[in-house]
Amino acid sequence: MKASIAPATLEQAQDMGLRPEEFEQIKTILGRTPNFTEMCVYSVMWSEHCSYKNSIKWLKTLPKEGSHMLVKAGEENAGIVDIGDGLGCAFKIESHNHPSAIEPYQGAATGVGGINRDIFTMGARPIAQLNSLRFGDLSNPRTKWLLEGVVKGIGDYGNSFGVPIVGGEVFFDSSYQVNPLVNAMSVGILEADKIISATAAGPGNPVYIVGSATGKDGIQGASFASKDITEESADDLPSVQVGDPFQEKLLLEATLELAKTTAVVGMQDMGAAGITCSTSEMSAAGEVGMDIHLDRVPLRQQDMEPFEILLSESQERMLVVVHKGQEEEVKDIFKKWDLHAEHIGEVTEGDRIRYFMNGELVGDVPGSTLVLGGGAPVYEREYTEPAWYAEAQAFDPNSVPVPSLDECVDIAQKLICLPNIASKKWVWEQYDSMVGTINRTTNRPSDAGVVSVRGTEKALALTVDCNARYVEADPEIGTAIAVAEAARNISCTGAEPSAITNCLNFGNPYNPEVYWQFVGAIQGMGRACRHFNTPVTGGNVSFYNQTANPDGSAQAVFPTPTIGMVGVMQDRKHHTGLDFKEKGELIFLLGGSSGCINASEYLANVVGIHRSPAPHFDIDEESKLHACLREVAQKGLAAAAHDVADGGLFITLLEMAMPGGLGFDIVTDDEVRLDGFLFGEGQGRAVVSLREEDQDDFFDVCEKHGLQPTLLGHVTKGKVVVDDKRFGFCEELRAYYDNALEEILTED
């Protein structure tokens, strides 16, 4: 008997990530022992990466409803929000962590390719990309190798594909030493009444595979993403896909041309689990089946077994269900763009998905039993608060001596040279923020990337945010802060936060302490999203982000629930940047002075205390601040607005001064500790600069929103002064800031 149709064994099932009880469940579903090909199908579809079996219970508690939602979480490849003028914005974020840990260039590049396909498969043209990257200790040669490979992979793919990268973040901590995080976000625009669904329908309608040929790269990628990184993980290199951005560009144009016809019934990207996932999810969504002939699939290698064709995650491919009778129209479009469009099957009645190879039936499974919301398992894991959490809450800031003003000068210079604070110029200079834009993006530095919506006065404000140190300190508060910071960044530009997508990066869900972090993060996210009226449109869960140690223990990454947020700016002429414009502007702090040093970059990496509570956070005060910032921007009162975040107030002011080579002269608050005032990261604060003649109108807006602004000082020609103490000149401080990361990278 051929291996592909020989009965599978429990040992094989376990090798592919299935648990013994799951193997028994499959036997019950089929009424027999699955053959090897069928077992492979279940192993990828029931993997954590595809089924969300350990997370779906809690994901369902997140808010999905909203008055402007066009496509809600779980309905399609990505969520879509209504932005007015008959247009929708499709956006989503996903991880490509494990592939990037093994082969950083291709791992990151194909992550960018995959998330863009999720957007244009729905008929939306991608207009912007963002990313959130996490790495270990930069003094480690492997970290440098990973960083260089990931950044080059993102830059090469994105620049060649022709979509600008308009925002992102890079964070370093030893917890990410072996297992980096690579989260990619794509944003696209489409006509709201022309959304393409990932649903199969109409028995007898033909099924096409379009795009590139299928090879052996990426086989079992979904299963690979659902296990720990170990010393043997390099053996999983075939699980890493290989991308071709030029082929993807052709696929984009062909797909959008196809979307203008009436030929498409449904379409889905072939991402995780390849043909297996796209055939089963599209069938289950439409409550139909499919007959698929694997021998008709264009191959790069001719010796591929049925299970390899089914599980391959070769890039730049999609599955399309076509209205019968319009096949030639589809083939002509893809021929024009020099891409494959091969008829590989038909939609059938019932829910059976049958796979054939050279006329022989090699797999016969009920599609509804494979997918999330169908027969895929759903688990409720136990969770336990870790012992160190209570210890962290007991941290007493009074145990940290308050530095003198002279000492704060040295602290400031140390802070601006730390990898988490220093300029990421070395990273973003490798990205093209203008490619393909034709004046769509703005060059104005601001708290969020701002992209014009052509044909309207509108713009989209886009950001990705998560301070994982806060989430490690307190998962619920830390994740609520991530949502709040994203909304704060959007509001600083003058835009209204609309909705979020998320990428939930955690360790092993079978570890009760890790699962406690996950549950807390979901609860914090849900609370904040309801408060800010930013429903969750979808995203990605990435478990098993940890390093398996030889003694059997594991080091999990910081819990990292990355938040991608989209906001709508009704009139882009009100876009407020973060840069001071001229000497003499008044500098105000909104949100009050804070002496809180908890979980700050200063406390962790200057003082050296790594366990403390999350920083001060008041969600009601956040709402007042955000509303005030938006009205100040819309009335044109602010010359600049910038939220107080990583590094505290001093770093915020320096970031506002550097773009124009200006400086600042401020006075501190005697009632709070000096290091907390300058370097603390208490939340709910922003700095606004304005012309003196606008301050009365500014005060009126602040009073309307229940805020009392604090005058900090004024903008200078270039000198940086705190309490009459010179901290240096902007030019010299910027030299430290701009060059610190590159100097670390070039050290032997």
Side-chain angles (χ1 to χ4, degrees), residues 248-396:
E248 176 125 329
K249 175 63 173 174
L250 297 177
L251 185 58
L252 163 67
E253 300 302 337
T255 300
L256 295 183
E257 184 172 338
L258 180 64
K260 295 177 182 178
T261 73
T262 60
V264 181
V265 175
M267 179 160 51
Q268 181 162 324
D269 162 47
M270 285 189 187
I275 293 174
T276 299
C277 188
S278 54
T279 53
S280 58
E281 289 188 347
M282 290 186 75
S283 295
E287 298 182 347
V288 293
M290 284 186 188
D291 281 353
I292 299 296
H293 300 270
L294 300 175
D295 50 289
R296 299 182 191 173
V297 176
L299 301 178
R300 291 205 299 267
Q301 290 119 328
Q302 297 307 309
D303 61 341
M304 293 182 68
E305 294 288 335
F307 79 91
E308 293 177 312
I309 299 171
L310 282 169
L311 271 55
S312 169
E313 294 181 11
S314 291
Q315 297 293 285
E316 294 88 39
R317 302 177 304 154
M318 298 195 297
L319 195 74
V320 185
V321 176
V322 176
H323 284 291
K324 191 173 181 61
Q326 295 186 259
E327 295 90 340
E328 291 305 314
E329 191 174 0
V330 174
K331 289 193 286 187
D332 287 346
I333 289 173
F334 283 90
K335 182 178 180 181
K336 168 187 171 181
W337 292 98
D338 199 24
L339 295 168
H340 291 293
E342 298 296 334
H343 176 202
I344 63 169
E346 290 77 33
V347 177
T348 60
E349 293 184 353
D351 77 337
R352 307 297 295 197
I353 303 178
R354 302 195 301 169
Y355 300 109
F356 296 87
M357 189 74 172
N358 299 317
E360 182 179 14
L361 182 66
V362 296
D364 183 355
V365 295
S368 60
T369 67
L370 297 172
V371 300
L372 172 69
V378 175
Y379 297 124
E380 183 174 353
R381 295 287 163 219
E382 63 176 2
Y383 52 94
T384 305
E385 178 185 297
W388 54 257
Y389 176 73
E391 296 171 8
Q393 305 314 300
F395 165 73
D396 181 4

Side-chain angles (χ1 to χ4, degrees), residues 189-206:
I189 299 289
L190 79 170
E191 294 180 47
D193 60 351
K194 294 182 180 178
I195 299 169
I196 297 176
S197 176
T199 302
N205 279 332

Side-chain angles (χ1 to χ4, degrees), residues 116-288:
N116 279 320
R117 284 196 304 280
D118 277 341
I119 299 305
F120 70 74
T121 300
M122 303 183 74
R125 179 176 289 278
I127 62 167
Q129 300 173 104
L130 303 92
N131 54 69
S132 175
L133 312 176
R134 314 288 163 138
F135 300 96
D137 182 356
L138 255 185
S139 65
N140 188 298
R142 177 178 171 80
T143 302
K144 295 179 181 180
W145 174 72
L146 288 169
L147 174 63
E148 290 168 357
V150 164
V151 170
K152 185 168 176 55
I154 291 171
D156 284 0
Y157 201 104
N159 297 350
S160 300
F161 180 58
V163 176
I165 297 171
V166 302
E169 57 180 358
V170 186
F171 184 88
F172 299 92
D173 185 83
S174 60
S175 69
Y176 305 106
Q177 188 60 53
V178 174
N179 198 139
L181 303 184
V182 177
N183 296 176
M185 178 174 169
S186 182
V187 181
I189 299 289
L190 79 170
E191 294 180 47
D193 60 351
K194 294 182 180 178
I195 299 169
I196 297 176
S197 176
T199 302
N205 279 332
V207 179
Y208 277 75
I209 188 170
V210 302
S212 296
T214 298
K216 293 187 177 183
D217 56 314
I219 292 174
Q220 281 285 9
S223 298
F224 170 53
S226 303
K227 60 183 181 181
D228 294 343
I229 297 291
T230 68
E231 291 182 354
E232 288 74 42
S233 290
D235 297 337
D236 288 316
L237 194 57
S239 296
V240 180
Q241 309 93 326
V242 177
D244 182 342
F246 301 104
Q247 192 85 335
E248 176 125 329
K249 175 63 173 174
L250 297 177
L251 185 58
L252 163 67
E253 300 302 337
T255 300
L256 295 183
E257 184 172 338
L258 180 64
K260 295 177 182 178
T261 73
T262 60
V264 181
V265 175
M267 179 160 51
Q268 181 162 324
D269 162 47
M270 285 189 187
I275 293 174
T276 299
C277 188
S278 54
T279 53
S280 58
E281 289 188 347
M282 290 186 75
S283 295
E287 298 182 347
V288 293

Side-chain angles (χ1 to χ4, degrees), residues 12-27:
Q12 289 173 327
Q14 290 179 297
D15 286 344
M16 300 189 81
L18 288 167
R19 302 173 71 82
E21 61 270 25
E22 292 173 342
F23 187 60
E24 291 302 315
Q25 188 177 344
I26 295 166
K27 288 162 69 174

